[in-house]
Amino acid sequence: MTVAIKENLKVSQPNAFAGGDTVVVPNSDIQVTEGSGKMFNFQPGLTLDDLVRAVNEVGAAPSDLMAILQALKQAGAIEGQLIVI
């Protein structure tokens, strides 16, 4: 999923005798695109090697793999110790 945010600044200026202040107003353009991702469904008893191979098969970067492992550990889905150096 990719989220692109483009910020366009606009100036809001009151009428000459209105007594207001000139201010810069943000005008955000947000675009979200989602590619054709793949899903996983693992059975209990999966080994770390099986998990790493499956994640690598979908083309995930090493940092993505580490984020997945950390999230699984935090959720209590990994038995063992995960040490990130």
Side-chain angles (χ1 to χ4, degrees):
M1 176 182 289
T2 303
V3 178
I5 302 172
K6 183 178 179 184
E7 195 70 35
N8 298 314
L9 300 177
K10 304 224 178 207
V11 176
S12 176
Q13 191 169 12
N15 291 332
F17 300 108
D21 295 325
T22 299
V23 295
V24 176
V25 180
N27 183 14
S28 303
D29 181 30
I30 302 172
Q31 183 178 21
V32 179
T33 55
E34 185 174 1
S36 59
K38 298 180 181 179
M39 296 294 296
F40 302 104
N41 184 15
F42 297 115
Q43 299 302 317
L46 178 76
T47 67
L48 180 60
D49 185 55
D50 294 333
L51 177 63
V52 170
R53 285 179 194 269
V55 172
N56 283 332
E57 284 179 14
V58 297
S63 60
D64 295 332
L65 175 61
M66 289 308 302
I68 291 167
L69 292 174
Q70 287 174 328
L72 288 170
K73 178 65 177 171
Q74 187 175 10
I78 292 180
E79 290 182 26
Q81 187 176 12
L82 180 63
I83 301 173
V84 180
I85 299 175

